[in-house]
Amino acid sequence: MKTRSRLIIIYTILFFTLCIVVFYPFYSNGKSFVWGAYAQDGLSQHLNAAAYWGQYIRQFAANLFSGHIKFPMWDMALGYGGDILAVLNYYAIGDPINLIYVFSNKYNAEYFYDFAILLRMYLAGISFIIYGSCMKKHSHGILIGSLVYVFSGISLQVGLHHPFFLNPMIYLPLLFLGIEKIYREERPYLFIFMVTISAVSNFYFFYMLTVISVLYALIRFFSYEKEHRWKGFFCTLGKFSGFFCLGIGISAVIFLPVILGFMGNGRNGGAAGIYPLYSVRYYGRLITEFSGYGEIGLGTRLNFVPLALFGIVILFLQNKKETWPYKAAVILCAVCLAFPICGYVLHGFSYPSNRWTFAAAFVVSIVITEIYPQLFALEGKQKIGICAGTGGCVLFCTIIKIFHGETIIQGWKAACLVMIGFAAGLLIMNFWNISEKGIFGHIWIGAMVCFSIGVSGVYHYSPNKSNELKSYLNRGEAYETLCNSEIQLLKEAKERDKDLYRVEAGRSRIYNFGLLDGIANTTNYFSITDKNTAETIRDFGNLGYKYLFKFRKMDQREGLLSLFSVKYRTSAKNAKGKSSAPAGFLPLVENKEYRLYENKNVLPFGYTYDSYITEAEYQKLNASEKEQALLKYAVVSQEDQQLRKAGIQIPVVEKQIDLSKKKMVVTKGHSLHYHFKIPVNPDKENYLQLEGMAFEQTREKGSRFMKPKVINSETFPLYTGKKKYKVRIQQKESIYYFGERSYFIKLQTKKGETYKTFDLVLNKPGTYTMKGISSVQADTEEMLSNLQKRKESECLENIRYDNGNHFSGEITSKGNRMLCIPIPYSKGWKAFDHGKQVSIQKVNGMFIGISLKKGKHKIQLNYVTPGIQAGAVITLISLCVLAGIIVRKK
């Protein structure tokens, strides 16, 4: 215990010293750790969610101390509305470290965010030290291994982009230690506890940790069981299964609702194929970046110090029987890195990704810990192996640079020099016969490791060596960026108008901007996104729709904005102080850059229909017809006997443009300008429809068995006059591919204009297909008339929403009607009319629908997270079982 305490003290000193060196560029350049300068995940998702969770806990505590319990499970500011636990568990809820945000507020949360990242890194090292000391490894080897583990590429790149990706580095050594305790017939509480913590923290990494722990247990099984192996195997399997299930049972109050939410998720694995091999470029970088400073691709980050390579060489150049588990682990990691099918399995059978490499970091680090004593007494063949490994890496990097320069990453020369220096240091130390019993040799190795880590930090973050720092926000600007001057106008409108409605930011690139201030809006960027919402918004063909879980804005389409109860919208002012907005939006206030508009035709959060069409009929319509249909008819999944079945009558004129080519090939270094023109009518709503667009990149010859490098979304410019639109297409091999893209672009026309000419620039090498181009003209007066009818129909009045689980309103129906409440449909909602439960259904693709008969209705909606009650019961039973085990053990 004294040795472990001393190790932790020394590790703490070295850790914070190295953090000062590695992260100094952040301090000197005034940067925070928030990855969000270009609206990336760090700001829109991670900081946003963590600060929200701290705010949630504080509000819950305040309510509790004031004498009433309020436990919100639903928030309208989560995308178009979502379950708090199901959506935010992935980012914040359940992670014990995020409890520190209870002391933050939205203005200073970024400082807690920075601290939480460093805390996670620090705890990962502590976890490794605890494992190493319990396994009775060399104390100095444990210290060096912990530094290699903590300052690998997983932490320095992935950990700063996605802080919760560091959590598995904390949990993994303790899970392994829990497995060891069960093998030694010691108490199983550590294993049970770590299973529980892993399950409640993040289901995504819990799956990976489970698979990796099973592999670890299998390898270690053969080290413990010498006799009666198969009998022992089944006994051990039963024991582990029982404790594992108990851990999951304890976590069920969080884990079960999250899994149910995931099952209704809109995000999928795209069309990324499973290939036998990765690309040549990937394998090249796998070698160059093992001890380099760059990204390999497909979620693979290694970037170890040179000692990692030397440790593996030394391990395999010795014949000790007790080292076979380490060799097996290294080989298993190499196989998993080499073949896409392994990344596919470890990534939950969605698409190949190597986010499991935190386990590779552990294997490499524990190998260093294991071979550490041999560093002072290298055998001849091990010295030759170190020289051959160093020479081979340097030669390989040089050849790659000469013949395939784009594969190599900046800093390869420095990485090679550090490797050569490290190898020379080890050989000199052995030449001088420096003993491990003295302190000098340990300081020598520690200094070389720390120097290697320092150089890695320079090449990761120094502005002179990398562009990485540019992607992080300036210190103190996180909330200011999240709530910029445009969002501030919407926030002020929300403070003046307490009714329930949505808002839209016409210019802002920031997703989820309303989460911290409780502003319902039209952006969504969460990995757990309701499938109905994702597919319904997709079908409108808006330009702001990027992925099935990432989309924003309604492209100034007044019908959609009103149907989704968007009451306020901002637009940017041009150099002349002018701004644009749909016809029904009236200007209210403005600041230097933006103008706020109010929608005079906005529909309340509850409007009715007296007729319907089916979803099957609705899906046959184009995007404009769908918008017009929603203004006239309720869209239901099955026939409704109480409502009138409508015959679809939508006055939309669609004119197909003759395509000169439906398939186009662009070669490398060239671009193709596809020119076309469409008729327009200034008296109508005019749209350009691009149907069935797809893009497949050009493959290298002989690479059909290799997974190609794919950019998830390619952007192509579309010009008409001085106006530029951005058309995004996912490649067919993209992990986010969800089929051919169809865009529906609202056009602004001038008086007397009869045609618009377009130039679509296809500037990426590959094969393009397009099913059709058409001009669509909708009757503006018809659209406004239908919108007015919806507004004048029976609507909910006296609407009350408690910003949580309860929504209510009153309505008097003149006949049989379908009430549409623009809250996303979920099985967690239960509806009551005058206190009597009534059924709800999905209408208009994603909203809550309630059938009404003639008369007065008092509607109440109550929400409970699906699975949380059953999960609570399972958790209680599991805790009782655990208590019984503890009593029995005593």
Side-chain angles (χ1 to χ4, degrees), residues 176-189:
F176 288 173
L177 187 57
I179 292 171
E180 296 289 340
K181 286 182 174 292
I182 292 175
Y183 274 132
R184 297 171 186 173
E185 298 187 355
E186 298 177 11
R187 293 176 178 177
Y189 308 139

Side-chain angles (χ1 to χ4, degrees), residues 23 89 118 128 184 422 582 653 684 696 780:
F23 299 122
N89 169 261
L118 295 177
F128 186 89
R184 297 171 186 173
F422 210 121
V653 178
K684 304 285 186 179
E696 189 170 3
T780 305

Side-chain angles (χ1 to χ4, degrees), residues 265-461:
N265 187 24
R267 180 174 181 172
N268 59 28
I274 306 302
Y275 291 85
L277 298 171
Y278 290 113
S279 65
V280 173
R281 178 181 178 274
Y282 169 87
Y283 292 115
R285 284 198 172 181
L286 200 61
I287 297 172
T288 61
E289 305 312 315
F290 184 85
S291 293
Y293 312 122
E295 184 180 3
I296 297 168
L298 299 164
T300 313
R301 298 295 302 210
L302 301 178
N303 310 140
F304 302 119
V305 301
L307 185 57
L309 175 63
F310 303 152
I312 293 172
V313 170
I314 293 169
L315 176 71
F316 279 90
L317 291 178
Q318 60 182 358
N319 297 319
K320 297 179 181 178
K321 288 185 178 180
E322 59 269 22
T323 61
W324 80 264
Y326 302 95
K327 294 177 182 177
V330 171
I331 293 170
L332 193 57
C333 286
V335 170
C336 289
L337 285 169
F339 298 103
I341 186 65
C342 299
Y344 175 75
V345 172
L346 285 165
H347 199 243
F349 300 92
S350 54
Y351 55 85
S353 178
N354 291 324
R355 288 177 173 175
W356 60 269
T357 44
F358 60 88
F362 176 85
V363 169
V364 165
S365 302
I366 204 66
V367 164
I368 290 173
T369 302
E370 175 66 19
I371 59 91
Y372 183 82
Q374 283 190 265
L375 295 176
F376 298 88
L378 294 173
E379 299 174 5
K381 60 182 178 180
Q382 291 171 337
K383 294 176 184 177
I384 295 172
I386 289 174
C387 292
T390 302
C393 283
V394 173
L395 180 61
F396 183 82
C397 289
T398 305
I399 293 172
I400 290 292
K401 180 63 178 176
I402 294 172
F403 295 102
H404 212 271
E406 67 271 18
T407 298
I408 205 79
I409 301 292
Q410 183 179 3
W412 71 276
K413 291 180 181 179
C416 289
L417 289 173
V418 170
M419 181 175 288
I420 292 170
F422 210 121
L426 286 178
L427 295 175
I428 291 171
M429 190 176 71
N430 277 264
F431 179 77
W432 287 345
N433 293 321
I434 296 175
S435 171
E436 67 168 297
K437 294 182 179 179
I439 193 64
F440 180 74
H442 302 300
I443 294 175
W444 182 292
I445 294 174
M448 289 192 291
V449 168
C450 291
F451 177 78
S452 302
I453 292 171
V455 175
S456 179
V458 169
Y459 278 89
H460 269 97
Y461 305 124

